[in-house]
Amino acid sequence: MSKLKIKFATLLLLFGFAFGMATDVTSSLTNQEPTTAQAAKKLSASQKKKISKINSGLSKKQKAAKKWIAFRESRYSYKARNGNCYGRYQLLKSYLHGDLSAVNQEKTANKYVKNRYKTWTKAKSFWQHHHWY
């Protein structure tokens, strides 16, 4: 009788594992984050203009470092979530003060990096050594 219980438990375990794997595969196929171009298409012309103005003071090198961090933090998604962090730059929600908009994320990310690292290139360097910034 104990051999029957072991076989039954093994069967249930295998079924559960197979079902879990199938669920992971299907969810990863259906919940794809947008690429940069797709994410940009979702922004209005007004938002794009405001974001461009916010980033206008950054050099090409600083913009490249900012883009590099955005890719590693969220794959460019303004809606990415990870615990208490949100958005393209995975800022603490408290930093965003309830405004989760793309424009506020860009403005807040620039302010955060300026206060903590001074530049986006220094933030990128820190990220490369610690895998967070």
Side-chain angles (χ1 to χ4, degrees):
M1 191 117 157
S2 67
K3 285 185 179 182
L4 183 60
K5 285 182 183 179
I6 292 172
K7 286 183 180 181
F8 184 68
T10 304
L11 183 63
L12 284 175
L13 186 65
L14 289 173
F15 177 75
F17 178 75
F19 181 76
M21 291 298 290
T23 303
D24 286 346
V25 170
T26 57
S27 67
S28 69
L29 292 175
T30 57
N31 293 333
Q32 304 246 341
E33 290 297 325
T35 62
T36 307
Q38 290 169 330
K41 286 181 185 177
K42 293 182 181 184
L43 297 176
S44 69
S46 173
Q47 288 173 311
K48 290 177 187 177
K49 188 175 181 179
K50 288 176 185 176
I51 289 170
S52 179
K53 186 176 179 182
I54 289 166
N55 292 322
S56 65
L58 299 175
S59 69
K60 284 185 179 183
K61 192 173 183 179
Q62 296 305 312
K63 287 178 184 178
K66 185 176 183 180
K67 185 178 177 180
W68 186 93
I69 289 175
F71 178 78
R72 273 132 190 104
E73 290 294 322
S74 68
R75 300 297 191 256
Y76 306 117
S77 172
Y78 285 110
K79 295 182 180 183
R81 297 172 183 264
N82 183 14
N84 206 21
C85 298
Y86 186 84
R88 189 174 204 156
Y89 304 98
Q90 290 296 287
L91 300 166
L92 290 173
K93 290 179 188 175
S94 62
Y95 292 175
L96 298 169
H97 301 289
D99 181 357
L100 304 180
S101 70
V103 173
N104 190 47
Q105 288 181 45
E106 293 288 338
K107 189 179 352 176
T108 304
N110 283 350
K111 185 177 175 181
Y112 169 77
V113 166
K114 183 178 180 183
N115 289 335
R116 184 173 172 115
Y117 302 102
K118 307 299 182 222
T119 67
W120 279 99
T121 51
K122 289 180 182 176
K124 177 183 173 182
S125 178
F126 184 91
W127 197 105
Q128 289 172 320
H129 290 91
H130 300 92
H131 302 285
W132 63 276
Y133 77 112

